Amino acid sequence: MTSPSETAVDAAAARARLLELIKELAVVRGKVTLSSGAEADYYIDLRRITLHHEASKLVGQVMLALADDAGIDFECAGGLTMGADPVGTAVMHAAAGAGRAVDAFVVRKAQKSYGMGRQVEGPSVEGRKVLVLEDTSTTGGSALTAVEGVRKAGGNVVAVAVIVDRDTGAKEKIEAETGVPYLFAFSKDELGLS
């Protein structure tokens, strides 16, 4: 059995290594247009992390520890397809590795007009505590769409968590519009971006 101090050391080591990998693999410098339409001098391509053989496991461990450290109790984790898909899966696997049952889910951008007509795919979120995830957020739009979809499906959103916060107002907007805490694992300052 792992002691709390060993778990804390493991979480700190996972966080340190994930930060290294994000700096090395995901930060792309140069003028880019973001999905929000805003321009930036850098791009944080977190799919290079969430779909990476080593980093994906670290993402799950770091995001699970982030929620635990904030006292967030949840049964389901996921968000708007596509950025959140691998993050939710990573959290599900990290939780399973820790002997916990956390289901992952995917929120479509719009409800399907065919089949079962669902917007939230995967195990049902109805009546369950849900952690909405995203890789990064500029305006908060993707997370807000996910929160709305989960709430329509009967889920109880307990927090929104992202890997990297760009410090562009998403935290304030999401907290104001959803009434739940916004957590992030890394700030743009930690990535050497300002």
Side-chain angles (χ1 to χ4, degrees):
M1 181 145 184
T2 312
S3 73
S5 62
E6 288 174 319
T7 303
V9 169
D10 290 347
R15 189 179 191 291
R17 178 62 180 144
L18 182 57
L19 181 58
E20 286 176 12
L21 288 169
I22 291 171
K23 287 178 178 179
E24 179 186 329
L25 302 173
V27 176
V28 181
R29 297 190 186 270
K31 280 266 189 244
V32 292
T33 302
L34 304 172
S35 63
S36 64
E39 283 199 354
D41 294 328
Y42 61 87
Y43 183 69
I44 305 168
D45 186 355
L46 286 170
R47 286 176 192 88
R48 293 181 182 186
I49 294 301
T50 60
L51 298 170
H52 184 268
H53 66 278
E54 178 187 0
S56 174
K57 181 177 180 180
L58 299 171
V59 165
Q61 294 168 340
V62 167
M63 297 305 284
L64 187 62
L66 177 69
D68 288 349
D69 291 348
I72 304 298
D73 178 38
F74 64 99
E75 303 163 88
C76 304
L80 192 67
T81 197
M82 145 157 174
D85 297 352
V87 185
T89 303
V91 169
M92 176 183 67
H93 288 298
R100 295 165 56 183
V102 171
D103 289 327
F105 65 89
V106 174
V107 179
R108 295 174 178 274
K109 291 181 172 64
Q111 188 169 345
K112 284 183 3 179
S113 60
Y114 55 91
M116 295 184 66
R118 297 172 68 181
Q119 184 176 8
V120 179
E121 298 287 355
S124 177
V125 298
E126 186 175 358
R128 300 174 78 192
K129 295 178 204 164
V130 175
L131 176 63
V132 168
L133 299 168
E134 187 56 67
D135 53 8
T136 188
S137 191
T138 303
T139 63
S142 294
L144 291 171
T145 299
V147 167
E148 180 183 349
V150 167
R151 286 180 171 164
K152 279 184 190 173
N156 174 23
V157 178
V158 293
V160 171
V162 301
I163 301 170
V164 174
D165 179 54
R166 295 179 55 92
D167 193 24
T168 53
K171 174 181 176 26
E172 295 77 12
K173 182 175 183 177
I174 289 168
E175 287 183 341
E177 292 188 26
T178 66
V180 300
Y182 172 97
L183 313 171
F184 58 91
F186 303 100
S187 68
K188 72 175 188 168
D189 293 341
E190 289 176 273
L191 302 182
L193 304 168
S194 42

